[in-house]
Each structure stands twice: as C-alpha cells, then as structure tokens.
C-alpha cells in the first residue's frame, strides 16, 4: 500500500486516505483507528508528538493533538 504524507507529518495509506471524509474527519479517523495495529497507533502518537514539538505554532497542531487523543482512546478501548 502506498503511504501518503498529508500536511506536515500525517501518515495515511492510500486505503485509509479513501476512508477519510474531510467533513466527517473526526468520526472517520476514530473508525480508522479501530483497524490499525497497536504498533501503528503508537507510531502515530509518537510522530504527532514530534511534529507538535518541532512546530508548536503550526496550524495543524490541533489536528495532531486530536490524532493523539483518538489513538490513545483506541488503545484504552482494547485494554478493556
């Protein structure tokens, strides 16, 4: 699967890219997290943290924080 870089550091496969509808981004991203491996969820968390640290004033920082939260939500859901 081809990996796309969207924005500064957002990583989506071509399949995931077709799953994301920008008007429903939050709910679509939460659904996408359910299909990711634990390793992938942790990678996204680390990657988004690094992007925020590198450019905290970036307009995408809020979106990266949302991605972190949704990945953590999915990890927590799997614990239960």
């Amino acid at each position: 699967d081809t990996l796309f870089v969207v924005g500064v550091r957002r990583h989506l496969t071509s399949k995931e890219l077709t799953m994301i509808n920008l008007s429903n981004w939050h709910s679509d991203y939460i659904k996408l997290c359910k299909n990711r491996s634990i390793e992938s969820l942790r990678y996204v968390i680390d990657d988004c943290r690094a992007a925020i640290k590198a450019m905290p004033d970036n307009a995408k920082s809020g979106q990266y924080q949302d991605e972190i939260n949704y990945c953590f939500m999915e990890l927590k859901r799997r614990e239960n």
Side-chain angles (χ1 to χ4, degrees):
D1 229 352
T2 305
L3 188 66
F4 291 90
V5 178
V6 181
V8 176
R9 296 182 57 91
R10 246 181 89 211
H11 303 284
L12 298 171
T13 64
S14 56
K15 180 181 177 184
E16 291 171 338
L17 193 58
T18 61
M19 292 174 63
I20 298 290
N21 178 335
L22 294 180
S23 64
N24 300 321
W25 184 87
H26 293 277
S27 57
D28 287 350
Y29 196 85
I30 291 168
K31 290 177 193 172
L32 185 145
C33 287
K34 293 179 188 293
N35 297 318
R36 286 187 164 162
S37 67
I38 290 173
E39 294 79 18
S40 178
L41 293 168
R42 289 185 177 144
Y43 176 82
V44 171
I45 290 167
D46 292 342
D47 192 52
C48 287
R49 282 180 172 165
I52 292 168
K53 184 176 179 181
M55 295 179 64
D57 296 327
N58 183 343
K60 292 273 194 178
S61 288
Q63 180 179 337
Y64 298 149
Q65 188 61 53
D66 288 340
E67 290 186 50
I68 291 168
N69 290 334
Y70 297 145
C71 289
F72 269 124
M73 285 171 41
E74 179 58 24
L75 289 171
K76 186 67 175 171
R77 185 188 71 80
R78 293 182 191 185
E79 285 180 7
N80 296 331

